[in-house]
Amino acid sequence: MPLDPLIFGFWKVDRDICASVCYEAIKNGYRRFDCACDYGNEKEVGEGITTAIQDGLCQREELFITSKLWNTYHSPEHVTLACQRSLDDLQLTYLDEYLIHFPISMEYVPFETKYPPEWLNLDGKMIVIDTDMCQTWKAMEELVTKHQMTKTIGVCNFTTQLLRQILSICTIRPSTLQIEVHPHNSQQKLIRFAHENNMMVTAFSTFGSTSYVELSMATENDSLFTTPSIVNIAKLKKKSSAQVLIRWAIQRHTFPLTKTVNSHRMKENRLVFDFNLSDEEMTIINNLNKNYRYNDPGVFCEGMGVFCPIYE
């Protein structure tokens, strides 16, 4: 079965509505779902998946479920425990994909102390430790070869140099690189490197700033939805700005990750296969690039008292 290029994400979906949002997304045709320990709603996603399967909307084999290893579980002895916790919460016997969430290792926090651990411990501190990411990767490989807990493994928020480091020691190569990609941060070289090393690229924050305004990490003036060139192309195609941005991501051979709790927008975001962007239109959108990240630990971690850059 070919992979659906459209991925539904659960970052910032409230737990109170998450199960019903998951169910509705499956009902509206989504089959790829992006989850994470850190999102704090995997139990509810699991409820939505279980109910959808019980109601005959889909079979487990039709779904592609991703979860992620949080920063506090990078020590090899914690990797299996973390993956199993996500499996239990999602009510699954296996994942289709398990990713290292950030190349940032933090002090271990036991489940019974705080779950999800988030960025700050119970003392309100973010404690970064030195962990060999290659050893973390070797433990990730055992999730596939020894424990059969996930079919594939990959990484998020890695640079080309970090990818080279993993590729130099791996037995199982990363299947996926998940990174922030939108017209303000097109990441052309990193995507090319990933593709040339046979990795799929999942593009999060497909709409740019929209997820970050409420977090005070962006302003309304940053919106791609109202950018004149995007609006003009959308009018010409008789599509929404969101649909144009999704189509741009697909034509760059990436897998766009979007999120909405609105059923109408779930449907609208899938109506992107009946038009194409011309080479000229792709170039116009590409030229919006300014190498600007909204999700940058080197910026937001300073608000937690730690300078933690992962990008130059």
Side-chain angles (χ1 to χ4, degrees):
M1 180 184 300
L3 278 179
D4 186 341
L6 303 177
I7 307 173
F8 191 92
F10 288 98
W11 181 47
K12 299 201 293 111
V13 176
D14 291 340
R15 292 177 60 185
D16 291 346
I17 61 171
C18 188
S20 61
V21 167
C22 178
Y23 185 94
E24 194 68 19
I26 293 173
K27 187 176 179 181
N28 281 306
Y30 288 89
R31 294 296 181 264
R32 292 195 67 183
F33 295 96
D34 183 77
C35 311
C37 153
D38 186 55
Y39 301 164
N41 54 17
E42 287 193 318
K43 281 188 176 181
E44 291 71 25
V45 174
E47 292 170 8
I49 291 171
T50 298
T51 302
I53 292 173
Q54 290 174 344
D55 288 355
L57 297 185
C58 65
Q59 297 179 356
R60 169 63 184 98
E61 294 74 19
E62 297 176 273
L63 303 177
F64 190 98
I65 310 297
T66 298
S67 187
K68 306 184 189 76
L69 178 76
W70 186 240
N71 308 340
T72 52
Y73 305 127
H74 282 188
S75 294
E77 65 269 23
H78 300 141
V79 171
T80 304
L81 296 174
C83 186
Q84 187 61 57
R85 175 60 187 261
S86 284
L87 285 171
D88 292 343
D89 285 349
L90 290 164
Q91 300 182 43
L92 300 175
T93 58
Y94 69 91
L95 294 167
D96 297 278
E97 183 176 78
Y98 197 52
L99 311 177
I100 298 176
H101 204 148
F102 281 96
I104 299 171
S105 298
M106 292 163 49
E107 183 181 57
Y108 173 64
V109 178
F111 296 157
E112 60 272 18
T113 300
K114 185 183 182 186
Y115 193 87
E118 302 176 298
W119 291 92
L120 302 177
N121 63 20
L122 288 178
D123 296 327
K125 298 179 179 179
M126 177 184 170
I127 300 178
V128 179
I129 62 173
D130 291 325
T131 299
D132 184 350
M133 201 61 63
C134 291
Q135 292 302 309
T136 302
W137 185 257
K138 287 299 182 183
M140 293 281 286
E141 290 181 334
E142 289 194 347
L143 297 178
V144 180
T145 60
K146 182 178 179 180
H147 304 296
Q148 291 83 50
M149 298 169 75
T150 183
K151 291 186 175 182
T152 61
I153 50 177
V155 296
C156 304
N157 304 300
F158 273 44
T159 60
T160 52
Q161 189 55 42
L162 283 169
L163 289 172
R164 288 181 189 277
Q165 183 178 352
I166 297 298
L167 291 169
S168 72
I169 59 89
C170 67
T171 301
I172 300 176
R173 295 167 71 88
S175 63
T176 293
L177 171 66
Q178 184 175 130
I179 49 175
E180 179 183 343
V181 180
H182 46 75
H184 285 161
N185 190 42
S186 61
Q187 304 241 49
Q188 181 177 348
K189 290 182 180 179
L190 182 54
I191 291 172
R192 178 181 172 183
F193 180 83
H195 284 161
E196 289 185 357
N197 283 277
N198 299 314
M199 297 178 214
M200 295 183 294
V201 175
T202 296
F204 73 79
S205 298
T206 304
F207 301 147
S209 65
T210 54
S211 294
Y212 301 99
V213 173
E214 64 183 279
L215 301 175
S216 299
M217 295 165 70
T219 70
E220 295 290 350
N221 292 332
D222 297 314
S223 176
L224 285 164
F225 288 161
T226 56
T227 298
S229 56
I230 300 289
V231 171
N232 290 339
I233 293 171
K235 288 180 178 177
L236 180 66
K237 302 296 183 181
K238 298 182 180 179
K239 292 289 182 178
S240 68
S241 292
Q243 289 169 320
V244 169
L245 292 169
I246 293 169
R247 187 69 214 174
W248 174 79
I250 291 172
Q251 288 186 210
R252 299 180 81 225
H253 307 291
T254 65
F255 291 76
L257 197 164
T258 63
K259 179 218 76 175
T260 178
V261 300
N262 181 287
S263 182
H264 172 74
R265 286 196 291 272
M266 288 180 192
K267 296 174 184 176
E268 180 182 276
N269 288 346
R270 294 193 62 81
L271 297 176
V272 292
F273 300 106
D274 57 352
F275 76 104
N276 286 291
L277 299 174
S278 68
D279 290 345
E280 181 182 358
E281 289 163 341
M282 290 292 292
T283 299
I284 289 170
I285 299 174
N286 290 340
N287 287 340
L288 295 173
N289 179 56
K290 50 186 180 180
N291 298 319
Y292 188 82
R293 290 181 176 87
Y294 296 100
N295 192 338
D296 186 348
V299 175
F300 66 74
C301 285
E302 287 208 85
M304 305 173 201
V306 177
F307 179 50
C308 191
I310 59 175
Y311 312 114
E312 287 75 17

